Amino acid sequence: MPDVATIYVIGLSLTIIGMLGGGLFWLGGEFREIRMRFKEIDERFREIDRRFDELRGYVDGRFNELKGYIDSRVNRLSEAFSSYQEFFIELLMTEGVIKPERAVIAKNEARRIMRLATSINPLTKEEWKRLGELLDKDPNDLTYEEALELRELARKVIREYMDYAEAWKLLMYASMMVGLTKKKREEQGGG
């Protein structure tokens, strides 16, 4: 028969093993619950990320729409202002309010736009060269068709460089030349 000490040690060992087993079982359950909660949190974060991506897409789309709207309005405003200036300058030249000699002032100012020829722009090298040729030509020798060509080149310059005063002066000079050549044409009976 085992002695009392052995039974005591075996009983104590079984008790400790039982307690450890129960504790480990309980800890396992807690860890499983913690894992489940982390899984729920991960799912919530995925849902938040998905919603955030949807919101970002929506906001980006709306921002692009707004940018497009503003860009189109600015372009329309620029074109309207250009058209107004062209008409007004042509009218003043045709009616003789602005003397042809005064066109030299606008021409010299417009000539400064040529410094932009080295930057990225909407005009080709040939168009920049042609613009220079038309600006170098004596206003009295300019034909109506050349004046129209000059104005079309000036319009291209405005589209890219509307934030430069020289671009607007170029358009004014070109419009003066259209008005001047139109007046000469009418005086000569070419209508």
mmCIF file of all heavy atoms in Angstrom, residues 118-156:
data_model
loop_
_atom_site.group_PDB
_atom_site.id
_atom_site.type_symbol
_atom_site.label_atom_id
_atom_site.label_comp_id
_atom_site.label_asym_id
_atom_site.label_seq_id
_atom_site.Cartn_x
_atom_site.Cartn_y
_atom_site.Cartn_z
ATOM 1 N N THR A 118 10.424 80.619 -76.478
ATOM 2 C CA THR A 118 11.320 79.554 -76.010
ATOM 3 C C THR A 118 10.649 78.614 -75.029
ATOM 4 O O THR A 118 11.179 77.554 -74.727
ATOM 5 C CB THR A 118 12.561 80.162 -75.334
ATOM 6 O OG1 THR A 118 12.131 80.987 -74.240
ATOM 7 C CG2 THR A 118 13.369 80.976 -76.326
ATOM 8 N N SER A 119 9.496 78.979 -74.516
ATOM 9 C CA SER A 119 8.822 78.120 -73.543
ATOM 10 C C SER A 119 7.837 77.193 -74.260
ATOM 11 O O SER A 119 7.613 77.306 -75.454
ATOM 12 C CB SER A 119 8.088 78.975 -72.504
ATOM 13 O OG SER A 119 7.081 79.723 -73.138
ATOM 14 N N ILE A 120 7.265 76.269 -73.492
ATOM 15 C CA ILE A 120 6.257 75.359 -74.058
ATOM 16 C C ILE A 120 5.027 76.189 -74.405
ATOM 17 O O ILE A 120 4.552 76.970 -73.592
ATOM 18 C CB ILE A 120 5.899 74.265 -73.039
ATOM 19 C CG1 ILE A 120 7.129 73.427 -72.747
ATOM 20 C CG2 ILE A 120 4.759 73.410 -73.537
ATOM 21 C CD1 ILE A 120 6.932 72.415 -71.648
ATOM 22 N N ASN A 121 4.514 76.025 -75.607
ATOM 23 C CA ASN A 121 3.416 76.875 -76.039
ATOM 24 C C ASN A 121 2.592 76.199 -77.124
ATOM 25 O O ASN A 121 3.010 75.204 -77.690
ATOM 26 C CB ASN A 121 3.981 78.204 -76.537
ATOM 27 C CG ASN A 121 4.958 77.994 -77.664
ATOM 28 O OD1 ASN A 121 4.552 77.651 -78.760
ATOM 29 N ND2 ASN A 121 6.240 78.162 -77.403
ATOM 30 N N PRO A 122 1.459 76.803 -77.446
ATOM 31 C CA PRO A 122 0.579 76.218 -78.458
ATOM 32 C C PRO A 122 0.995 76.557 -79.893
ATOM 33 O O PRO A 122 0.443 76.020 -80.829
ATOM 34 C CB PRO A 122 -0.776 76.838 -78.131
ATOM 35 C CG PRO A 122 -0.439 78.166 -77.563
ATOM 36 C CD PRO A 122 0.836 77.947 -76.799
ATOM 37 N N LEU A 123 1.951 77.471 -80.071
ATOM 38 C CA LEU A 123 2.377 77.839 -81.410
ATOM 39 C C LEU A 123 3.588 77.007 -81.817
ATOM 40 O O LEU A 123 4.472 76.740 -81.005
ATOM 41 C CB LEU A 123 2.761 79.327 -81.464
ATOM 42 C CG LEU A 123 1.631 80.311 -81.780
ATOM 43 C CD1 LEU A 123 0.627 80.349 -80.659
ATOM 44 C CD2 LEU A 123 2.193 81.684 -82.030
ATOM 45 N N THR A 124 3.625 76.643 -83.071
ATOM 46 C CA THR A 124 4.788 75.926 -83.601
ATOM 47 C C THR A 124 5.909 76.942 -83.847
ATOM 48 O O THR A 124 5.676 78.160 -83.844
ATOM 49 C CB THR A 124 4.440 75.220 -84.918
ATOM 50 O OG1 THR A 124 4.133 76.232 -85.902
ATOM 51 C CG2 THR A 124 3.261 74.269 -84.761
ATOM 52 N N LYS A 125 7.107 76.426 -84.115
ATOM 53 C CA LYS A 125 8.226 77.322 -84.433
ATOM 54 C C LYS A 125 7.907 78.153 -85.674
ATOM 55 O O LYS A 125 8.236 79.342 -85.734
ATOM 56 C CB LYS A 125 9.502 76.518 -84.673
ATOM 57 C CG LYS A 125 10.113 75.967 -83.428
ATOM 58 C CD LYS A 125 11.396 75.221 -83.744
ATOM 59 C CE LYS A 125 11.961 74.609 -82.474
ATOM 60 N NZ LYS A 125 13.201 73.874 -82.733
ATOM 61 N N GLU A 126 7.250 77.523 -86.635
ATOM 62 C CA GLU A 126 6.889 78.230 -87.863
ATOM 63 C C GLU A 126 5.893 79.359 -87.577
ATOM 64 O O GLU A 126 5.980 80.443 -88.164
ATOM 65 C CB GLU A 126 6.282 77.255 -88.903
ATOM 66 C CG GLU A 126 7.260 76.230 -89.437
ATOM 67 C CD GLU A 126 7.516 75.062 -88.475
ATOM 68 O OE1 GLU A 126 6.683 74.796 -87.575
ATOM 69 O OE2 GLU A 126 8.574 74.430 -88.612
ATOM 70 N N GLU A 127 4.951 79.087 -86.683
ATOM 71 C CA GLU A 127 3.968 80.127 -86.340
ATOM 72 C C GLU A 127 4.631 81.279 -85.592
ATOM 73 O O GLU A 127 4.299 82.444 -85.815
ATOM 74 C CB GLU A 127 2.829 79.521 -85.509
ATOM 75 C CG GLU A 127 1.907 78.642 -86.334
ATOM 76 C CD GLU A 127 0.861 77.927 -85.493
ATOM 77 O OE1 GLU A 127 1.191 77.474 -84.369
ATOM 78 O OE2 GLU A 127 -0.283 77.814 -85.975
ATOM 79 N N TRP A 128 5.581 80.970 -84.704
ATOM 80 C CA TRP A 128 6.309 82.036 -84.005
ATOM 81 C C TRP A 128 7.092 82.866 -85.033
ATOM 82 O O TRP A 128 7.137 84.095 -84.944
ATOM 83 C CB TRP A 128 7.254 81.472 -82.948
ATOM 84 C CG TRP A 128 6.595 81.163 -81.638
ATOM 85 C CD1 TRP A 128 6.412 79.938 -81.091
ATOM 86 C CD2 TRP A 128 6.019 82.094 -80.706
ATOM 87 N NE1 TRP A 128 5.749 80.045 -79.883
ATOM 88 C CE2 TRP A 128 5.500 81.364 -79.628
ATOM 89 C CE3 TRP A 128 5.886 83.479 -80.686
ATOM 90 C CZ2 TRP A 128 4.879 81.953 -78.534
ATOM 91 C CZ3 TRP A 128 5.262 84.074 -79.587
ATOM 92 C CH2 TRP A 128 4.763 83.318 -78.538
ATOM 93 N N LYS A 129 7.702 82.184 -85.987
ATOM 94 C CA LYS A 129 8.468 82.886 -87.023
ATOM 95 C C LYS A 129 7.536 83.794 -87.830
ATOM 96 O O LYS A 129 7.851 84.948 -88.095
ATOM 97 C CB LYS A 129 9.159 81.872 -87.928
ATOM 98 C CG LYS A 129 10.028 82.513 -88.982
ATOM 99 C CD LYS A 129 10.705 81.457 -89.844
ATOM 100 C CE LYS A 129 11.509 82.155 -90.935
ATOM 101 N NZ LYS A 129 11.861 81.288 -92.010
ATOM 102 N N ARG A 130 6.381 83.234 -88.212
ATOM 103 C CA ARG A 130 5.412 84.009 -88.997
ATOM 104 C C ARG A 130 4.898 85.199 -88.186
ATOM 105 O O ARG A 130 4.739 86.297 -88.729
ATOM 106 C CB ARG A 130 4.249 83.108 -89.433
ATOM 107 C CG ARG A 130 3.212 83.805 -90.271
ATOM 108 C CD ARG A 130 3.780 84.266 -91.594
ATOM 109 N NE ARG A 130 2.716 84.870 -92.399
ATOM 110 C CZ ARG A 130 2.922 85.827 -93.264
ATOM 111 N NH1 ARG A 130 4.131 86.287 -93.487
ATOM 112 N NH2 ARG A 130 1.906 86.326 -93.942
ATOM 113 N N LEU A 131 4.668 84.994 -86.907
ATOM 114 C CA LEU A 131 4.233 86.092 -86.042
ATOM 115 C C LEU A 131 5.278 87.208 -86.052
ATOM 116 O O LEU A 131 4.940 88.390 -86.182
ATOM 117 C CB LEU A 131 3.995 85.582 -84.616
ATOM 118 C CG LEU A 131 3.542 86.604 -83.580
ATOM 119 C CD1 LEU A 131 2.217 87.233 -83.973
ATOM 120 C CD2 LEU A 131 3.412 85.933 -82.215
ATOM 121 N N GLY A 132 6.538 86.828 -85.932
ATOM 122 C CA GLY A 132 7.624 87.818 -85.986
ATOM 123 C C GLY A 132 7.649 88.562 -87.310
ATOM 124 O O GLY A 132 7.837 89.789 -87.342
ATOM 125 N N GLU A 133 7.459 87.833 -88.408
ATOM 126 C CA GLU A 133 7.445 88.458 -89.731
ATOM 127 C C GLU A 133 6.307 89.470 -89.846
ATOM 128 O O GLU A 133 6.489 90.581 -90.371
ATOM 129 C CB GLU A 133 7.282 87.397 -90.822
ATOM 130 C CG GLU A 133 8.476 86.488 -90.994
ATOM 131 C CD GLU A 133 8.197 85.284 -91.894
ATOM 132 O OE1 GLU A 133 7.028 85.127 -92.358
ATOM 133 O OE2 GLU A 133 9.126 84.490 -92.117
ATOM 134 N N LEU A 134 5.130 89.083 -89.361
ATOM 135 C CA LEU A 134 3.974 89.979 -89.446
ATOM 136 C C LEU A 134 4.158 91.211 -88.560
ATOM 137 O O LEU A 134 3.735 92.310 -88.917
ATOM 138 C CB LEU A 134 2.691 89.232 -89.075
ATOM 139 C CG LEU A 134 2.257 88.159 -90.073
ATOM 140 C CD1 LEU A 134 1.109 87.324 -89.516
ATOM 141 C CD2 LEU A 134 1.882 88.782 -91.411
ATOM 142 N N LEU A 135 4.811 91.018 -87.408
ATOM 143 C CA LEU A 135 5.067 92.165 -86.534
ATOM 144 C C LEU A 135 6.142 93.081 -87.118
ATOM 145 O O LEU A 135 6.116 94.295 -86.883
ATOM 146 C CB LEU A 135 5.482 91.696 -85.136
ATOM 147 C CG LEU A 135 4.372 91.101 -84.271
ATOM 148 C CD1 LEU A 135 4.953 90.512 -82.986
ATOM 149 C CD2 LEU A 135 3.320 92.143 -83.943
ATOM 150 N N ASP A 136 7.067 92.520 -87.857
ATOM 151 C CA ASP A 136 8.135 93.325 -88.464
ATOM 152 C C ASP A 136 7.645 94.126 -89.672
ATOM 153 O O ASP A 136 8.251 95.127 -90.049
ATOM 154 C CB ASP A 136 9.295 92.420 -88.904
ATOM 155 C CG ASP A 136 10.099 91.909 -87.721
ATOM 156 O OD1 ASP A 136 10.009 92.507 -86.634
ATOM 157 O OD2 ASP A 136 10.807 90.893 -87.883
ATOM 158 N N LYS A 137 6.564 93.685 -90.249
ATOM 159 C CA LYS A 137 6.056 94.320 -91.468
ATOM 160 C C LYS A 137 5.475 95.695 -91.140
ATOM 161 O O LYS A 137 4.820 95.891 -90.116
ATOM 162 C CB LYS A 137 4.987 93.415 -92.091
ATOM 163 C CG LYS A 137 4.709 93.712 -93.524
ATOM 164 C CD LYS A 137 3.942 92.575 -94.167
ATOM 165 C CE LYS A 137 3.828 92.822 -95.654
ATOM 166 N NZ LYS A 137 3.121 91.757 -96.322
ATOM 167 N N ASP A 138 5.694 96.641 -92.038
ATOM 168 C CA ASP A 138 5.137 97.988 -91.880
ATOM 169 C C ASP A 138 3.615 97.882 -91.898
ATOM 170 O O ASP A 138 3.051 97.221 -92.782
ATOM 171 C CB ASP A 138 5.626 98.885 -93.022
ATOM 172 C CG ASP A 138 5.168 100.316 -92.848
ATOM 173 O OD1 ASP A 138 3.947 100.561 -92.841
ATOM 174 O OD2 ASP A 138 6.044 101.186 -92.712
ATOM 175 N N PRO A 139 2.932 98.491 -90.919
ATOM 176 C CA PRO A 139 1.460 98.399 -90.872
ATOM 177 C C PRO A 139 0.773 98.826 -92.176
ATOM 178 O O PRO A 139 -0.268 98.292 -92.526
ATOM 179 C CB PRO A 139 1.073 99.334 -89.722
ATOM 180 C CG PRO A 139 2.274 99.390 -88.863
ATOM 181 C CD PRO A 139 3.455 99.245 -89.792
ATOM 182 N N ASN A 140 1.380 99.771 -92.901
ATOM 183 C CA ASN A 140 0.773 100.242 -94.153
ATOM 184 C C ASN A 140 0.901 99.213 -95.273
ATOM 185 O O ASN A 140 0.179 99.281 -96.265
ATOM 186 C CB ASN A 140 1.401 101.569 -94.581
ATOM 187 C CG ASN A 140 1.058 102.660 -93.586
ATOM 188 O OD1 ASN A 140 -0.069 102.768 -93.139
ATOM 189 N ND2 ASN A 140 2.050 103.462 -93.230
ATOM 190 N N ASP A 141 1.844 98.278 -95.130
ATOM 191 C CA ASP A 141 2.044 97.250 -96.156
ATOM 192 C C ASP A 141 1.294 95.955 -95.842
ATOM 193 O O ASP A 141 1.293 95.031 -96.652
ATOM 194 C CB ASP A 141 3.541 96.938 -96.297
ATOM 195 C CG ASP A 141 4.329 98.139 -96.814
ATOM 196 O OD1 ASP A 141 3.719 98.995 -97.488
ATOM 197 O OD2 ASP A 141 5.536 98.216 -96.526
ATOM 198 N N LEU A 142 0.685 95.879 -94.687
ATOM 199 C CA LEU A 142 -0.025 94.678 -94.264
ATOM 200 C C LEU A 142 -1.339 94.545 -95.034
ATOM 201 O O LEU A 142 -2.082 95.516 -95.177
ATOM 202 C CB LEU A 142 -0.315 94.781 -92.756
ATOM 203 C CG LEU A 142 -0.453 93.518 -91.937
ATOM 204 C CD1 LEU A 142 0.848 92.716 -91.962
ATOM 205 C CD2 LEU A 142 -0.791 93.859 -90.491
ATOM 206 N N THR A 143 -1.620 93.366 -95.542
ATOM 207 C CA THR A 143 -2.893 93.136 -96.235
ATOM 208 C C THR A 143 -3.957 92.746 -95.191
ATOM 209 O O THR A 143 -3.634 92.378 -94.061
ATOM 210 C CB THR A 143 -2.786 91.997 -97.264
ATOM 211 O OG1 THR A 143 -2.554 90.770 -96.572
ATOM 212 C CG2 THR A 143 -1.668 92.270 -98.269
ATOM 213 N N TYR A 144 -5.193 92.808 -95.620
ATOM 214 C CA TYR A 144 -6.293 92.426 -94.738
ATOM 215 C C TYR A 144 -6.158 90.962 -94.319
ATOM 216 O O TYR A 144 -6.336 90.618 -93.145
ATOM 217 C CB TYR A 144 -7.634 92.676 -95.440
ATOM 218 C CG TYR A 144 -8.833 92.327 -94.618
ATOM 219 C CD1 TYR A 144 -9.146 93.044 -93.467
ATOM 220 C CD2 TYR A 144 -9.673 91.278 -94.987
ATOM 221 C CE1 TYR A 144 -10.261 92.722 -92.701
ATOM 222 C CE2 TYR A 144 -10.795 90.944 -94.232
ATOM 223 C CZ TYR A 144 -11.081 91.678 -93.084
ATOM 224 O OH TYR A 144 -12.175 91.348 -92.328
ATOM 225 N N GLU A 145 -5.804 90.100 -95.272
ATOM 226 C CA GLU A 145 -5.642 88.670 -94.969
ATOM 227 C C GLU A 145 -4.507 88.440 -93.968
ATOM 228 O O GLU A 145 -4.608 87.598 -93.084
ATOM 229 C CB GLU A 145 -5.394 87.877 -96.267
ATOM 230 C CG GLU A 145 -6.601 87.757 -97.173
ATOM 231 C CD GLU A 145 -6.962 89.074 -97.895
ATOM 232 O OE1 GLU A 145 -6.081 89.953 -98.048
ATOM 233 O OE2 GLU A 145 -8.137 89.219 -98.271
ATOM 234 N N GLU A 146 -3.411 89.189 -94.125
ATOM 235 C CA GLU A 146 -2.294 89.072 -93.181
ATOM 236 C C GLU A 146 -2.697 89.558 -91.790
ATOM 237 O O GLU A 146 -2.300 88.982 -90.780
ATOM 238 C CB GLU A 146 -1.076 89.859 -93.681
ATOM 239 C CG GLU A 146 -0.401 89.223 -94.871
ATOM 240 C CD GLU A 146 0.683 90.103 -95.463
ATOM 241 O OE1 GLU A 146 0.537 91.358 -95.447
ATOM 242 O OE2 GLU A 146 1.682 89.539 -95.957
ATOM 243 N N ALA A 147 -3.513 90.607 -91.761
ATOM 244 C CA ALA A 147 -3.995 91.119 -90.476
ATOM 245 C C ALA A 147 -4.864 90.065 -89.780
ATOM 246 O O ALA A 147 -4.760 89.859 -88.566
ATOM 247 C CB ALA A 147 -4.775 92.418 -90.675
ATOM 248 N N LEU A 148 -5.708 89.397 -90.572
ATOM 249 C CA LEU A 148 -6.530 88.319 -89.998
ATOM 250 C C LEU A 148 -5.654 87.173 -89.498
ATOM 251 O O LEU A 148 -5.916 86.595 -88.429
ATOM 252 C CB LEU A 148 -7.543 87.808 -91.027
ATOM 253 C CG LEU A 148 -8.666 88.770 -91.397
ATOM 254 C CD1 LEU A 148 -9.507 88.193 -92.537
ATOM 255 C CD2 LEU A 148 -9.526 89.098 -90.187
ATOM 256 N N GLU A 149 -4.602 86.836 -90.244
ATOM 257 C CA GLU A 149 -3.667 85.795 -89.830
ATOM 258 C C GLU A 149 -2.958 86.204 -88.530
ATOM 259 O O GLU A 149 -2.803 85.397 -87.612
ATOM 260 C CB GLU A 149 -2.638 85.552 -90.942
ATOM 261 C CG GLU A 149 -1.628 84.485 -90.613
ATOM 262 C CD GLU A 149 -0.557 84.329 -91.693
ATOM 263 O OE1 GLU A 149 -0.537 85.113 -92.681
ATOM 264 O OE2 GLU A 149 0.281 83.418 -91.531
ATOM 265 N N LEU A 150 -2.546 87.458 -88.464
ATOM 266 C CA LEU A 150 -1.899 87.979 -87.257
ATOM 267 C C LEU A 150 -2.827 87.858 -86.053
ATOM 268 O O LEU A 150 -2.421 87.421 -84.979
ATOM 269 C CB LEU A 150 -1.486 89.438 -87.472
ATOM 270 C CG LEU A 150 -0.875 90.164 -86.281
ATOM 271 C CD1 LEU A 150 0.426 89.510 -85.835
ATOM 272 C CD2 LEU A 150 -0.641 91.640 -86.631
ATOM 273 N N ARG A 151 -4.093 88.202 -86.265
ATOM 274 C CA ARG A 151 -5.046 88.124 -85.160
ATOM 275 C C ARG A 151 -5.287 86.673 -84.737
ATOM 276 O O ARG A 151 -5.399 86.382 -83.551
ATOM 277 C CB ARG A 151 -6.366 88.798 -85.500
ATOM 278 C CG ARG A 151 -7.291 88.805 -84.282
ATOM 279 C CD ARG A 151 -8.481 89.664 -84.422
ATOM 280 N NE ARG A 151 -9.337 89.178 -85.494
ATOM 281 C CZ ARG A 151 -10.384 89.854 -85.941
ATOM 282 N NH1 ARG A 151 -10.687 91.023 -85.427
ATOM 283 N NH2 ARG A 151 -11.121 89.360 -86.901
ATOM 284 N N GLU A 152 -5.335 85.769 -85.687
ATOM 285 C CA GLU A 152 -5.526 84.356 -85.326
ATOM 286 C C GLU A 152 -4.339 83.846 -84.511
ATOM 287 O O GLU A 152 -4.520 83.102 -83.537
ATOM 288 C CB GLU A 152 -5.734 83.508 -86.590
ATOM 289 C CG GLU A 152 -6.216 82.118 -86.297
ATOM 290 C CD GLU A 152 -7.476 82.071 -85.438
ATOM 291 O OE1 GLU A 152 -8.399 82.880 -85.638
ATOM 292 O OE2 GLU A 152 -7.528 81.207 -84.535
ATOM 293 N N LEU A 153 -3.139 84.227 -84.889
ATOM 294 C CA LEU A 153 -1.955 83.851 -84.099
ATOM 295 C C LEU A 153 -2.019 84.486 -82.711
ATOM 296 O O LEU A 153 -1.670 83.848 -81.709
ATOM 297 C CB LEU A 153 -0.672 84.267 -84.830
ATOM 298 C CG LEU A 153 -0.352 83.482 -86.107
ATOM 299 C CD1 LEU A 153 0.808 84.124 -86.862
ATOM 300 C CD2 LEU A 153 -0.038 82.024 -85.776
ATOM 301 N N ALA A 154 -2.467 85.728 -82.637
ATOM 302 C CA ALA A 154 -2.607 86.413 -81.344
ATOM 303 C C ALA A 154 -3.632 85.693 -80.467
ATOM 304 O O ALA A 154 -3.429 85.572 -79.249
ATOM 305 C CB ALA A 154 -3.024 87.870 -81.560
ATOM 306 N N ARG A 155 -4.693 85.201 -81.059
ATOM 307 C CA ARG A 155 -5.692 84.445 -80.288
ATOM 308 C C ARG A 155 -5.077 83.179 -79.692
ATOM 309 O O ARG A 155 -5.370 82.808 -78.560
ATOM 310 C CB ARG A 155 -6.870 84.070 -81.176
ATOM 311 C CG ARG A 155 -7.769 85.231 -81.507
ATOM 312 C CD ARG A 155 -8.838 84.824 -82.494
ATOM 313 N NE ARG A 155 -9.762 85.916 -82.763
ATOM 314 C CZ ARG A 155 -10.616 85.917 -83.766
ATOM 315 N NH1 ARG A 155 -10.683 84.890 -84.595
ATOM 316 N NH2 ARG A 155 -11.425 86.941 -83.945
ATOM 317 N N LYS A 156 -4.239 82.503 -80.467
ATOM 318 C CA LYS A 156 -3.555 81.315 -79.948
ATOM 319 C C LYS A 156 -2.653 81.683 -78.770
ATOM 320 O O LYS A 156 -2.574 80.943 -77.792
ATOM 321 C CB LYS A 156 -2.718 80.649 -81.046
ATOM 322 C CG LYS A 156 -3.498 79.808 -82.012
ATOM 323 C CD LYS A 156 -2.540 79.098 -82.956
ATOM 324 C CE LYS A 156 -3.229 78.023 -83.748
ATOM 325 N NZ LYS A 156 -2.286 77.266 -84.565
#
